[in-house]
Structure formats: structure tokens, C-alpha cells
Amino acid sequence: MRVVWIVIDSVGVGELPDAAVYGDKGADTLGHLAEKYPDIKLDNMKILGLGNIPGINKAIGEVEDPIGLYGKAAEISRGKDSVTGHFEMVGINTVVPFQTYQNGFPKEIIDKFIEVTGCGGVLGNKVASGTEIIKELGDEQMRTGYPIIYTSQDSVFQIAASEETTGLDKLYFWCEKAREILLGDYQVARVIARPFVKKDNEFVRTANRHDYALSPDKDNLLSYLKEEGVYVYSVGKINDLFSGCGISKAVHTISNGDGMDKTLDALDEVSEGLIFTNLVEFDSTWGHRRDALGYKNGLEAFDRWLPHLMDKLNDDDVLIINADHGCDPCFKGTDHTREYIPILIYGKNLKAGSLGIRDTFADIGATVGKLLKLEKRLAIGENLL
């Protein structure tokens, strides 16, 4: 059998009980989109049970007889970023949150970075929007060759540089060295390469982004699947988020559409095992940029594509769709939001029904493990089925 596991990155469904601690009281990514755009068409996800999820914003709309299993999950880990969310999905509870740097990175980190990379200096070193900081400093970066360093409310060390004048090899080298530095007391979840080009006097980020995440604890679903010989095909940034842990084959994507196409390609190639996809544009292109209309259109495009995927499923295949955090485009700021995530599960041989409200994202990983006949049990998480 095959499990097709799709993470619709950042599509949260309402504030968690502790959202106020993170400054996110009132956030509701999907609910606010449906309120803003009452004509939003998510008919295929609704048939699976999206609008029937307990406590979901009523603007989504219920159906009488969903064909899938539906529910939502809280996050027990400390954080609201992609690494923390994905780690919890595979059975890792991040008890100590990753470091964040709301005033930029301290002098000792920057000095060490300059020393080990030989870059000569840095630009920026502050909390900033990725698109805005390259508008501000792109020309200076191209002139000086210095990397642009910036962060956000999340645990990230982002490095932006011109693909044309600096080159990808040097940018990736800088990121590799930063990853070596940002451990222990300085530990951040991800170092991210953010290449850009200048077109018609405007700066544009390219699809050659690369994430350098912390290596996960070896006791996790993907490691266990590898130990037991289960094939894992990753699509999109899954491979980056897990630093290749347990991945049999990885394919890069440049957009949600590309990720959806490559998921269909994977179904032609994989006869049994796990196909694990992340569709990042909900987060990176629309959520962080607070582009509500783009987010709505992206969700509708995903929803229109779903029947193509479901038609390719064998009788014993199982489809799982969930998010990893929120990024409410109708909320303040530009960062992730601490929210419940939706869970939708579909299989031709599965009985539809409510999954209720789950205590942890790890229930999803435990379910994947059970479906794929994994012998080892995750440290956290219960089989949803």
C-alpha cells in the first residue's frame, strides 16, 4: 500500500488555547479567509469533511455526509514554525523552543560567521520581511558582495544574496558554515538560503531557496521507516526540513503547482511506501506576505487538483492532508500564527467519520506508521484509525 501525506503549509484552523503567549490571540488562517472571501470554493476538501471539523469557523460550511475522516490537532511542542511542526508530526516533542533573535544576531555570532566564511562583512542583521530587505539592500549586496542577514519572529537565520553576482555555490557555502555555528546555546531551527535576481530594476527571489534544518532526533517515524526498509519519497522542502533523515528519494519543487505535479509523478513511480509532500507557497508566497487573495486562489487551485490525485489512488492507498502551523494573511504582522491544524484522511476502504480534537500532531505520524506496518512505536502520538 501507499500513504500520500500532504502538508498544506500554514493552513491553520483557529487559535490554540495558548495562542496569546505567542501574540496570536484571534488568529484563524482558514476561517478569516472564508469570512473575507465567502465565495471561496473548496468543495473537494469540504466533501472530505473540512467544514465538519469540530470548532472550525462556520464560514467554511459543513456537508451532510463527508467521505473522509476529519479532525484537528493541537501542538504540544514549544514553537510555531515548520521545523517544530514537522518534527512533532513524526513523533518529536520540542520541549525547549529554538532560539529566536528579535534584535538581530549578537556580535559574537556575526563575528564568527565573518571569520569562518571569509565574507568580509554582512548587511542587515535585523528582523525583516524577505522581500522588503532585498529591496532595501539588494543593490548594496550586489556591489559589496556581503551577504544580507535577517531573521523573523521564528527561529531562522536567513541569508540573501544575488544568484548572478554572488552565485549559488557561495551562498550555500555561507549557509553550511552558519549551520555549523548555530548550535548549542545559539541553536536555531533553520538556516535558509534566499537567492535573488534583479529583473527590470526589481529584485525577485528565485526558486533556488535551500533550508538547512537541524538534524532530527533519530527516534522518529522517518528513521524507523528507513530501518524497516519502507520507501520514502519526499516532494518539496520535506527533505530539507528533516536534513535527509529517512528519505529514499527527494525531488525539489519551485511552486505549489510543481509540487502537485510531482506528487502525481511519484504515484506513477512508487508502488508501496510513503509519498511525503510539502506545499510551501501557502506559507512563503501568500501567508508571510499577508496576500489574502493569493492565499485564497492557492487553496482553490489545490482543491481543484485533489480529484486528479484521488483518482490515481489504489483501493488500499490512503491520503492524509494536514497543516504544520498557521500563517493568517488577515492577521497582524508577517509571521506564523499558533493555531490548530486540520486533518483530513481519505481511503476507498476507510470508514468516514470524525477524528475529534487531537492532543498532538504526532497522532498523524503514528497513523502513518501503523498504515505502513511499522513495528516500532513513536514516543508520542496515537493511531487515528
Side-chain angles (χ1 to χ4, degrees), residues 99-151:
Q99 288 275 18
T100 58
Y101 293 91
Q102 298 309 300
N103 297 308
F105 297 96
K107 184 175 184 298
E108 57 266 29
I109 290 179
I110 296 300
D111 286 349
K112 184 67 174 177
F113 175 78
I114 293 170
E115 175 190 342
V116 300
T117 62
C119 66
V122 303
L123 304 172
N125 188 25
K126 59 184 179 180
V127 173
S129 157
T131 51
E132 293 303 314
I133 201 166
I134 59 173
K135 288 179 187 176
E136 176 191 349
L137 297 173
D139 281 324
E140 190 174 354
Q141 196 284 314
M142 294 174 72
R143 179 178 60 80
T144 63
Y146 295 162
I148 300 170
I149 306 296
Y150 66 103
T151 188

Side-chain angles (χ1 to χ4, degrees), residues 292-366:
L293 180 59
Y295 210 125
K296 175 245 189 191
N297 291 338
L299 280 169
E300 290 181 332
F302 173 72
D303 191 78
R304 288 193 300 271
W305 169 80
L306 269 179
H308 299 289
L309 171 66
M310 293 166 69
D311 287 347
K312 294 191 76 164
L313 297 178
N314 297 328
D315 287 350
D316 62 346
D317 291 340
V318 173
L319 168 65
I320 300 175
I321 301 168
N322 61 267
D324 55 343
H325 52 71
C327 198
D328 186 345
C330 305
F331 199 62
K332 63 185 180 181
T334 60
D335 290 299
H336 295 155
T337 43
R338 177 85 168 172
E339 298 184 47
Y340 287 102
I341 62 167
I343 307 171
L344 299 173
I345 303 178
Y346 170 77
K348 294 174 183 177
N349 292 329
L350 293 181
K351 184 179 179 181
S354 177
L355 299 170
I357 302 173
R358 314 302 298 196
D359 292 334
T360 170
F361 297 0
D363 286 358
I364 308 166

Side-chain angles (χ1 to χ4, degrees), residues 14 46 98 161 206 297 348:
K46 285 183 184 180
F98 298 123
T206 77
N297 291 338
K348 294 174 183 177

